[in-house]
Amino acid sequence: SLVPAFSLHCIVGVMIFMTYSAAVTKSPSWALTEENLLFLEAWRTIDRAYIDKSFNGQSWFRYRENALRSEPMNTREETYSAIRKMVATLDDPFTRFLEPNKFKSLRSGTRNTLTGVGLSIGYPTGRDKSPSGVVVISAAPGGPANRAGISSGDLILAIDNMSTESMGIYDAAELLQGPEGSGVELIVRHDSETRHHSLIRERVSLNPVKSRICKAPGLGKDAPLIGYIKLTSFNQNASGAVREAIETLRGSNVNAFVLDLRDNSGGLFPEGVEIAKIWLDKGVIVYICDSRGVRDIYDTDGSNAAATSEPLVVLVNKGTASASEILAGALKDNKRAVLFGEPTYGKGKIQSVFELSDGSGLAVTVARYETPAHIDIDKVGIIPDRPLPVSFPKDEDNFCGCLQDPASACYLNRVELFSR
């Protein structure tokens, strides 16, 4: 009441003028360009999906504001560079930005064919105590790398004379793929030996299932029949192919199954869950966890089951990874199967792939998982119940021989194989 009305009007007028002036002077610097919007789209994708809500101990909102102020985003390549720099602050090797061609290549790997040398690759695990680089998880049976003798656990040191010491797996995968008939040079460390390989890229079939019937020693037509199923990848056809193989083998009166997951580096998470449902009449398949603990549970009530009663053995090795480990862990912890082999690769984190509006994408670590027994297998792997003989073969033809010939070094009789 002591302030004159004239003074009050002046003060309000000055405040309005100052506010308007500030808006006029600042608005051009905050106008969002098309490149800024693409960066923000990538930022929001990570903000919503990434498993670690501390974002590696940084303020994710502050990073966004600082990047919009200081990072050049005048061209698409500058925007891609800003996104890659942002992703790098998470210090997560499995969360990666993918340019449109790399995103398209990644998606093609979940389909039926791929042109390359037939290798699934990953980062060396802590358990291996390997140097940095790219490790072979598995080599596709019959593919160029497999025929050259490259196998699980080999370390790729260079691709076309480019060192892989600090190379990401998506960059390495892009170098390994290429036009059919083209060549690629690899330097590979196998145990303590360094090998040079000249490979020709070809179209590698990703048909995920092979099966056959093995006759165990017995009396004539009453000899036990074992259905052998080799599952090589978890692409979009995997669960249907496994179900079809079971039905076909059942039609031939098999009375036990062997599911071979050796050198299966994984693939689509939902396919791993669906295949577990085929073998289980009930139970938890996997727990999905984030930084706060269990956030989701995948289980089954048996409504999708196809083979829950016959004895089941699962074969695993260090090339068994990701979705394969989810399946193996579910069957082991639910006491549905006996696991034979060696500890698996140990990839206990789950990535989802998100497409951005310009055709590029982000592979983002969205969760970690625990087996039904609440075991976190990341960098540890799943420990099998029993080892396999050192000379045990990986192909289906020789597998049958190991069940039939007691004089063979790889011999396992049926009782020894299926008993707990």
Side-chain angles (χ1 to χ4, degrees):
S1 60
L2 298 178
V3 179
F6 176 76
S7 299
L8 184 62
H9 290 154
C10 287
I11 292 170
V12 172
V14 170
M15 290 176 63
I16 292 173
F17 175 77
M18 291 174 63
T19 303
Y20 177 76
S21 299
V24 170
T25 55
K26 287 189 176 182
S27 59
S29 65
W30 283 101
L32 294 175
T33 66
E34 181 180 347
E35 300 305 320
N36 294 150
L37 291 172
L38 180 62
F39 175 86
L40 284 173
E41 184 183 358
W43 180 91
R44 285 192 206 97
T45 300
I46 296 172
D47 180 58
R48 293 168 182 165
Y50 191 57
I51 180 176
D52 177 13
K53 294 308 177 186
S54 78
F55 299 96
N56 197 27
Q58 64 182 322
S59 170
W60 197 237
F61 286 93
R62 184 174 295 125
Y63 186 91
R64 179 191 68 181
E65 299 306 307
N66 291 341
L68 287 172
R69 286 192 182 99
S70 60
E71 293 292 334
M73 299 184 204
N74 300 309
T75 65
R76 187 54 47 95
E77 186 48 48
E78 286 182 342
T79 304
Y80 286 170
S81 178
I83 295 173
R84 283 192 291 265
K85 185 176 178 180
M86 173 178 67
V87 171
T89 66
L90 300 173
D91 195 25
D92 176 3
F94 295 107
T95 296
R96 281 289 184 267
F97 172 70
L98 306 166
E99 292 85 349
N101 60 327
K102 293 182 183 178
F103 180 72
K104 182 178 179 181
S105 175
L106 180 67
R107 288 197 302 184
S108 70
T110 66
R111 295 173 183 159
N112 294 331
T113 58
L114 199 62
T115 302
V117 297
L119 283 177
S120 294
I121 58 176
Y123 297 104
T125 63
R127 185 184 70 230
D128 295 336
K129 297 181 180 179
S130 302
S132 57
V134 176
V135 69
V136 174
I137 300 177
S138 64
N146 176 257
R147 296 197 302 268
I150 299 174
S151 59
S152 301
D154 288 356
L155 194 69
I156 301 176
L157 303 178
I159 304 172
D160 282 339
N161 295 319
M162 286 182 279
S163 172
T164 64
E165 184 175 357
S166 57
M167 186 181 294
I169 55 174
Y170 298 113
D171 295 322
E174 184 180 21
L175 291 173
L176 291 171
Q177 296 173 32
E180 187 173 5
S182 61
V184 61
E185 300 290 325
L186 301 184
I187 301 177
V188 176
R189 180 178 298 154
H190 178 80
D191 296 330
S192 59
E193 179 185 0
T194 299
R195 300 174 176 176
H196 294 251
H197 297 280
S198 297
L199 304 180
I200 302 299
R201 298 182 180 95
E202 60 187 51
R203 188 167 292 275
V204 179
S205 174
L206 298 179
N207 181 14
V209 169
K210 293 182 179 179
S211 64
R212 65 165 299 153
I213 297 172
C214 298
K215 183 178 289 188
L219 299 174
K221 64 179 183 179
D222 295 325
L225 299 179
I226 297 171
Y228 173 90
I229 299 173
K230 175 79 170 178
L231 179 61
T232 57
S233 67
F234 289 79
N235 63 18
Q236 60 191 8
N237 301 321
S239 59
V242 169
R243 190 178 294 274
E244 183 179 345
I246 290 172
E247 292 172 355
T248 300
L249 293 170
R250 272 249 187 82
S252 299
N253 299 316
V254 301
N255 44 34
F257 289 101
V258 172
L259 178 62
D260 193 346
L261 298 178
R262 290 175 298 172
D263 293 336
N264 184 329
S265 59
L268 298 176
F269 169 82
E271 289 296 298
V273 172
E274 289 304 311
I275 294 172
K277 291 180 179 180
I278 291 173
W279 300 100
L280 294 171
D281 58 0
K282 62 179 180 179
V284 171
I285 295 170
V286 64
Y287 293 104
I288 306 302
C289 309
D290 58 20
S291 56
R292 295 181 293 273
V294 175
R295 80 176 195 203
D296 203 358
I297 301 173
Y298 287 81
D299 57 8
T300 182
D301 59 5
S303 57
N304 292 323
T308 63
S309 58
E310 295 94 342
L312 175 64
V313 160
V314 176
L315 308 181
V316 298
N317 66 358
K318 60 188 175 183
T320 303
S322 193
S324 289
E325 293 174 293
I326 289 175
L327 175 57
L331 297 177
K332 179 185 179 183
D333 287 0
N334 283 287
K335 302 191 185 310
R336 175 64 186 92
V338 182
L339 267 61
F340 275 78
E342 59 186 357
T344 60
Y345 177 75
K347 184 177 181 291
K349 290 187 171 64
I350 298 171
Q351 285 72 43
S352 289
V353 180
F354 302 89
E355 183 171 6
L356 301 180
S357 56
D358 75 328
S360 61
L362 286 164
V364 181
T365 299
V366 297
R368 63 179 178 84
Y369 72 83
E370 295 177 357
T371 70
H374 285 290
I375 297 172
D376 182 351
I377 61 99
D378 197 49
K379 299 182 181 179
V380 176
I382 293 173
I383 309 302
D385 299 299
R386 300 178 188 174
L388 282 171
V390 175
S391 58
F392 207 81
K394 291 184 179 180
D395 63 287
E396 60 271 22
D397 293 328
N398 287 321
F399 169 81
C400 289
C402 292
L403 301 182
Q404 296 166 348
D405 183 8
S408 170
C410 65
Y411 178 66
L412 278 175
N413 65 52
R414 185 180 185 280
V415 174
E416 186 180 8
L417 188 64
F418 290 100
S419 67
R420 292 190 178 278

